[in-house]
Amino acid sequence: MTTFKRGLKATAVALALSTAFASAPAFAAGKLTISSPQDPGSWDPIDTFLVQWAAVATNIFDGLTYRGPDLKLVPGLAESWEELDEGKRIRFKLRQNVKFHNGEPFNAAAVKFTFERLLGEQGAKGPQRSNYISIESIDVIDDYTVDLKLKAADPVLLTKLAGYGAMIVPPKYIQEKGEDNFNLNPVGTGAFKFVSYQPKVDIKLEANADYWGGAPKLSELQFRFISEPATAVAELQAGRVDLVIPPTIPIGMLPVIEGDNKLEIVSVPGPTVDALRFNTRDGITADPKVRKAIIMAVDRGTIVKSILAGQASEITSFQSALSFGFDPDLKAIPYDPAGAKKLLAEAGVKTGATLQIDIRGNDATMNEVAQVISSYLSMVGITATIKPYETNVLLNDIIPQGKTGAMFQQKWGGWTFDYDNTAYSMYHSGEKWNPYDKDEKLDKLLESQRPLTDRAAREKILREVGAYASERALELPLYNSNAIFGINKRVKGFIAPPDNRLKLTDVTVE
C-alpha cells in the first residue's frame, strides 16, 4: 500500500485553513465582473472541454482533487487518498458535512453517481469520457469512503479528477430536474452558487456562505460573454468590466491597457498552444509532402517575434515546455521556402493551387497570424483563403464532423500539463478532435503509455508520439502563448492561473 503523502500533507494544510476560515467574518459585499470571450452553451461538466467553461465553473463545482495556479495537486472534496493494488485502486476519504448548493448532501453516493454518469450513456454524448476510461468501477465503502477501481494504473488520473468531467454533481437534483435543466441551471459544492444564465449574454453567481473552504470575500460574480476584443477592452476601460480573461486581448491592444493608469496587464506562461492542423484525408494536404512543404513555407519565428511581441514562444510539437512528455531536443521542420517549392513540385502541386484555412472568428491574433501565413504560402505558389467561424460552430460542428478546409485552427489548453491529454485527443482514431486521420502505430503508442506508472518509460513513449506526429506533419505547430489578463487595479488578491481556471474565493474589489 502506498500512501499519497503529498496529498495527506496538503490535507493538514487544508484543514488548518478550514479552521481559520470558520472563524473569519462572512463575505463582504462586492461584485466582480469578468469578460469571457465565449459562452460554453452548457454548464454540465461532462459536456465540455472548453477553457472558458472552467473559468466560470471552477467556482461552481469541486472535484475530489484540486490544482491551483501553482500547479500543485492538493485535496478537494477528498480529504486524502491512498493508491492500492499497485495503482489499480485508489481509495478516497471524503470531506464530511459538505452540501451541494440545493442542500443535498455530498457523500460517496454522489461520487459513484458522478462517475457512473460520466462513463455511461450520458457521458458518451460529450467529449470528456475518454479521459476517464481507465476507471472500471466505483465502489462505495461507506458514506465517506469510496474506491475507484481501475482497469490499469492511470498516472494522470489524480490530476484529471481536478477538472472538467470529474467535477462532482448532485444525484437527486439531476434525477428530479433532468439533464436539460442541469445544463442551464448548474448545482455544485463550490464557493459560488448559480443565480441566472442568459445565453450569449452572461452568467451570474452569488457567494456560498457555507462553502467548506470558507466563505468567499466577494458577494457576487458576473461573467459577461463578450466575443469582440475591442468591446471587451472598451468595457474594461469604462469600468464596466473588472477583468478580461484570455484569449481575448490581441497583442496589438496591449499598449491601450498599459497606457491606462487604472489598468494593468498580468501575463503568465501557460500550457495553451496554437496550431493549424491539416485535413489529412482530402485534397492536397492528404499528401505528407505537401504538409511538410506548407510547414517549411512559414517563418514561425518571425511570426512570434513580430506579431506576438514576445508574449509567446515557438513550438515544435503540439505542446508547451510545461507539458510532461515535452522533448527539448525535437528539431522543428525548418523555414525553407526553396525546399517547400521543391516538395510541392515533387507532389505535383501546381502554382496557383488553393486551400482554405478555418479559424475562430473572434480570435483577432490568429486572424492576423493567418493573414501572414497566407502571404507566406503565396510565396511558394499556394493561394490560401481564410474562413472565420463563430467559435462554437467551428468547435462543435465543423471540426468534429470533418467539414473543415485543408487547414483549421486548433487552440488547446493542455490543462493536465501532460502530453497524453493533448495527443490522445488529437491523434487517436475516433476521437472528436481527430476527424480525418487513422494511424495504427499512433494508436498503439498512445494506448501503451496510459497504464504505465514508470514516469521515465511514459515520457519516452510520449516523446516518440511527438516525434512521429512531427514526422507525419499532422499540423503546422505555431506557438505557445502566454495567458494575458487585463485587470482593473481596484481588484485585489487575484492570482493569474496559467490554465485560466479561475478560483475567485479570495479576490476582493475596492
Side-chain angles (χ1 to χ4, degrees), residues 30-36 55-56 192 201-205 218-226 231-232 235-245 263 485-488 490-491 494 502 504 507-510:
K31 177 182 177 182
L32 181 71
T33 301
I34 300 160
S35 172
S36 172
V56 177
F192 289 86
V201 179
D202 69 0
I203 182 170
K204 295 179 180 178
L205 312 178
L218 290 165
S219 55
E220 298 175 70
L221 292 179
Q222 179 188 23
F223 288 81
R224 293 175 56 192
F225 305 119
I226 304 176
T231 303
E235 291 294 276
L236 180 67
Q237 289 181 292
R240 290 186 288 268
V241 160
D242 302 303
L243 178 65
V244 177
I245 62 177
L263 310 176
F485 298 81
I487 188 168
N488 193 303
R490 69 188 178 199
V491 177
F494 174 73
L502 307 180
L504 299 167
V507 172
T508 59
V509 176
E510 293 185 346

Side-chain angles (χ1 to χ4, degrees), residues 146-428:
V146 64
D147 285 357
L148 293 190
K149 188 176 180 181
L150 310 183
K151 300 170 188 172
D154 182 348
V156 194
L157 182 61
L158 287 167
T159 297
K160 293 175 184 174
L161 297 181
Y164 296 90
M167 297 291 94
I168 306 301
V169 299
K172 185 178 179 182
Y173 178 78
I174 293 174
Q175 290 165 342
E176 291 183 353
K177 300 292 186 179
E179 299 287 349
D180 291 343
N181 176 78
F182 185 58
N183 289 347
L184 304 178
N185 301 273
V187 167
T189 61
F192 289 86
K193 300 188 288 187
F194 171 79
V195 174
S196 66
Y197 169 51
Q198 298 181 78
K200 308 294 185 185
V201 179
D202 69 0
I203 182 170
K204 295 179 180 178
L205 312 178
E206 66 181 9
N208 175 13
D210 298 321
Y211 184 52
W212 58 264
K217 296 177 181 178
L218 290 165
S219 55
E220 298 175 70
L221 292 179
Q222 179 188 23
F223 288 81
R224 293 175 56 192
F225 305 119
I226 304 176
S227 61
E228 174 54 50
T231 303
V233 172
E235 291 294 276
L236 180 67
Q237 289 181 292
R240 290 186 288 268
V241 160
D242 302 303
L243 178 65
V244 177
I245 62 177
T248 302
I249 303 172
I251 301 298
M253 296 191 76
L254 293 181
V256 175
I257 296 173
E258 291 168 335
D260 190 322
N261 61 14
K262 303 187 304 297
L263 310 176
E264 63 182 333
I265 290 290
V266 178
S267 177
V268 294
T272 300
V273 285
D274 278 83
L276 291 180
R277 302 192 68 213
F278 290 112
N279 178 340
T280 59
R281 184 189 66 193
D282 309 313
I284 62 173
T285 51
D287 187 333
K289 283 187 177 181
V290 174
R291 301 197 297 268
K292 286 183 181 178
I294 289 172
I295 296 171
M296 293 165 69
V298 178
D299 186 350
R300 290 168 288 162
T302 295
I303 288 174
V304 167
K305 183 178 178 180
S306 301
I307 298 179
L308 302 178
Q311 294 288 341
S313 56
E314 191 177 350
I315 56 174
T316 56
S317 60
F318 198 38
Q319 60 182 319
S320 78
L322 297 172
S323 167
F324 180 76
F326 173 78
D327 185 355
D329 297 323
L330 181 64
K331 303 299 182 186
I333 295 175
Y335 173 54
D336 181 3
K341 289 180 181 179
K342 182 179 178 182
L343 277 180
L344 290 171
E346 290 176 7
V349 176
K350 299 186 182 304
T351 299
T354 62
L355 60 77
Q356 179 178 299
I357 301 173
D358 298 340
I359 65 170
R360 302 182 185 190
N362 69 335
D363 190 335
T365 299
M366 177 53 74
N367 196 308
E368 189 175 353
V369 168
Q371 297 289 346
V372 173
I373 289 172
S374 174
S375 297
Y376 278 124
L377 293 181
S378 71
M379 296 178 190
V380 298
I382 295 176
T383 301
T385 57
I386 299 166
K387 185 167 185 178
Y389 283 94
E390 195 275 323
T391 299
N392 283 352
V393 172
L394 180 64
L395 299 183
N396 295 321
D397 181 26
I398 302 301
I399 296 174
Q401 301 302 319
K403 298 190 292 188
T404 73
M407 303 173 75
F408 56 96
Q409 179 189 2
Q410 189 80 63
K411 180 185 289 289
W412 195 254
W415 68 276
T416 62
F417 292 83
D418 189 297
Y419 189 39
D420 167 81
N421 173 255
T422 303
Y424 203 97
S425 297
M426 296 299 131
Y427 307 136
H428 194 279

